[in-house]
Amino acid sequence: MEGGEYVKSLLIRGGKPLFGEIPVSGSKNAVLPMLAAATAFREPCRIRGVPELTDVDAALEILVYLGAEVHRDGADLLIDPRPICRWRLPEALMGKMRGSVFFAGPLLARFGRCALTPPGGCPLGDRPVNFHAQGFLALGAERDKNDPEVFSGRLTGNEIFLPYPSVGATENLILGALGADGTTVIHNAAREPEIECLCAFLRSGGAKIAGDGTNRIVITGAMPGSGDFAVIPDRMEAATFACAAASAGGKVRLEGAEHRHFGPVLDALERAGCQIRRQESHIIMESAGLHSPGEISTKPYPGFPTDAQAAFMAAMLRAEGETVIRETVFDHRMHHVPGLRAMGGDIELEGNAAHIRGVKKLAGAEVRASDLRGGAALAAAALAAEGETRIDGLHHILRGYEHFAEKLHALGADVRTV
Ligand code: EPU
């Protein structure tokens, strides 16, 4: 039903509640740094439960370009990093996604040299890499005078203070610190579950890392040997489908969802009137009519995740009363608002705060996805809208949601790709 490059749009005929069960895939934001981390291993490694996503394809393209041998074995990836011989990526590969920036740290660790080329990714405002660069400098790398993207030198463990708990900078600096002599301490580190997953993968190969999951991570320099680890379930996919079910109504079971990883989203959905059963191996979520949960602000983990902001907004379009959603992590992450308004959503923007007044009905419209999460949010709203919605720019969604249309279809949605 989907996956080919010819697939451009999603057609959804809404107004039907969702019922059924879907599996939650491996996490995009966990697997991308793991794939980059494979370049820091001395021996072949296995990553289990890798989702089929175009961002994963882009990471594999980078690994092959660098010289690694990559094989798929069902849902597992086997990566042999021993033949890697390149340390710099061409701009075309860097520009394909944000996750390409994670290769800088492990390549610096491996070769004592890397290029911090601005990566691609969703247009969410200014997304600088200055914290990554400051961290590399703190580890003792020097910036090339003629080519300021290039860092090189012998690395030595150090204390690094991040000005903000950036997920990507924390991951890149953990990976860079593997190649440093002595111990590195990252203060004000990000605490996201994806960082714990990356560290567990590195530890499976013998890396000495402690404190992941807290804001102080300690890394003793040494490259890992041979790694083997399973990707954690995608908490943002689970959050998106929970919001889609809240939007459309119905009862869905999200198999494999780890509820502890997106507690604030589930709590907010509960405050809005959804019933949620949190089990060890799955969650069951039921919704029939919503009211405003009050005000929500996005925050770094363990706060309300910015990646769930758009889908949550879609779910609140028909919630009685006024909901306020503040985006505090990124400067421009409201690209979904015009599409949601086109379906009849009553949203007023005041800077980075969206005031949503619940409406009784939404209606199908022609809209365009301009980023990954915003695109999925349009689909969540379309499921509740009467008539047909056409969402162009489907490739944004396929970057981060495995079998998106098939999963909606499995829940009884009337959905087609064209
Ligand atoms: N920031 C800086 N300087 C830096 C790094 C970050 O100013 O050197 C700022 C950013 O501009 C932003 C804030 O810090 O305002 C947070 O950015 P962060 O570095 O934490 O985000 P990221 O690593 O670029 C990852 C995810 C995003 C997710 C954010 C926040 C991946 C590949 N991407 O991005 O995921 O929104 O963390 O949780 O892991 C998505 O999946 O749709 C997505 C955008």
Side-chain angles (χ1 to χ4, degrees):
M1 189 184 281
E2 66 184 16
E5 291 199 346
Y6 54 89
V7 173
K8 295 279 192 311
S9 307
L10 199 58
L11 296 182
I12 296 180
R13 188 166 282 282
K16 269 170 77 179
L18 302 181
F19 286 99
E21 174 182 332
I22 50 163
V24 175
S25 298
S27 158
K28 167 182 85 83
N29 287 347
V31 77
L32 294 178
M34 289 167 82
L35 291 170
T39 60
F41 283 73
R42 285 179 283 110
E43 300 290 331
C45 40
R46 178 182 285 267
I47 304 180
R48 298 175 190 268
V50 176
E52 287 177 26
L53 303 170
T54 53
D55 268 10
V56 167
D57 294 340
L60 298 183
E61 211 182 316
I62 291 175
L63 279 166
V64 169
Y65 173 84
L66 292 171
E69 278 173 24
V70 180
H71 297 285
R72 242 197 199 270
D73 177 14
D76 296 0
L77 277 175
L78 302 171
I79 301 163
D80 186 349
R82 289 172 297 187
I84 289 179
C85 52
R86 291 180 159 139
W87 59 271
R88 188 170 199 172
L89 296 170
E91 269 175 34
L93 285 180
M94 283 301 293
K96 283 199 170 180
M97 59 164 179
R98 182 75 186 173
S100 53
V101 79
F102 303 134
F103 285 87
L107 290 172
L108 179 63
R110 183 180 175 123
F111 291 110
R113 180 179 289 266
C114 74
L116 198 53
T117 309
C122 289
L124 311 178
D126 207 13
R127 297 181 76 180
V129 288
N130 52 333
F131 305 157
H132 305 236
Q134 286 157 14
F136 291 163
L137 296 173
L139 289 174
E142 285 183 20
R143 204 190 264 275
D144 191 303
K145 287 192 181 62
N146 302 317
D147 191 347
E149 285 178 5
V150 173
F151 291 77
S152 63
R154 195 185 163 102
L155 306 181
T156 312
N158 200 352
E159 306 258 336
I160 300 175
F161 295 84
L162 286 177
Y164 183 91
S166 153
V167 176
T170 302
E171 291 167 338
N172 231 343
L173 297 175
I174 291 169
L175 293 166
L178 295 172
D181 291 331
T183 302
T184 298
V185 184
I186 305 175
H187 298 272
N188 198 26
R191 298 163 59 187
E192 271 69 0
E194 291 76 15
I195 292 172
E196 290 185 77
C197 181
L198 170 66
C199 293
F201 174 49
L202 294 168
R203 277 193 294 264
S204 75
K208 294 192 174 56
I209 305 175
D212 43 303
T214 77
N215 58 12
R216 183 176 178 275
I217 302 180
V218 182
I219 307 109
T220 307
M223 306 296 269
S226 162
D228 185 338
F229 202 70
V231 183
I232 56 172
D234 195 316
R235 63 195 174 105
M236 289 312 140
E237 187 200 25
T240 302
F241 277 93
C243 290
S247 169
K251 183 174 181 181
V252 301
R253 177 176 164 129
L254 303 174
E255 196 56 45
E258 170 48 272
H259 64 84
R260 293 175 197 85
H261 288 172
F262 60 115
V265 182
L266 295 175
D267 294 347
L269 287 171
E270 258 173 349
R271 285 205 304 282
C274 298
Q275 284 160 22
I276 297 169
R277 261 196 283 153
R278 297 165 174 79
Q279 306 290 350
E280 280 309 306
S281 64
H282 64 272
I283 66 165
I284 296 175
M285 132 103 206
E286 201 168 349
S287 160
L290 299 172
H291 50 260
S292 161
E295 192 164 324
I296 304 285
S297 274
T298 64
K299 295 271 160 53
Y301 194 84
F304 190 98
T306 171
D307 290 346
Q309 177 257 105
F312 191 78
M313 190 182 298
M316 292 306 114
L317 294 177
R318 292 194 305 154
E320 215 180 303
E322 179 172 318
T323 306
V324 180
I325 302 181
R326 281 180 207 286
E327 173 59 53
T328 75
V329 177
F330 288 105
D331 295 338
H332 292 104
R333 203 170 202 184
M334 293 285 175
H335 303 298
H336 41 287
V337 168
L340 297 179
R341 279 185 184 142
M343 288 183 239
D346 181 353
I347 307 169
E348 199 181 310
L349 278 181
E350 204 182 29
N352 269 340
H355 296 255
I356 303 125
R357 278 173 293 267
V359 293
K360 293 245 174 317
K361 270 191 186 177
L362 296 172
E366 294 206 355
V367 296
R368 164 162 283 279
S370 50
D371 65 285
L372 165 66
R373 306 297 170 191
L378 296 177
L383 293 167
E386 286 172 21
E388 188 167 86
T389 295
R390 177 191 172 109
I391 304 173
D392 291 335
L394 179 61
H395 61 279
H396 287 289
I397 299 178
L398 300 185
R399 285 186 35 217
Y401 291 92
E402 186 179 45
H403 309 317
F404 189 65
E406 281 91 340
K407 287 187 180 182
L408 289 176
H409 191 253
L411 295 175
D414 185 346
V415 51
R416 279 184 301 135
T417 51
V418 290

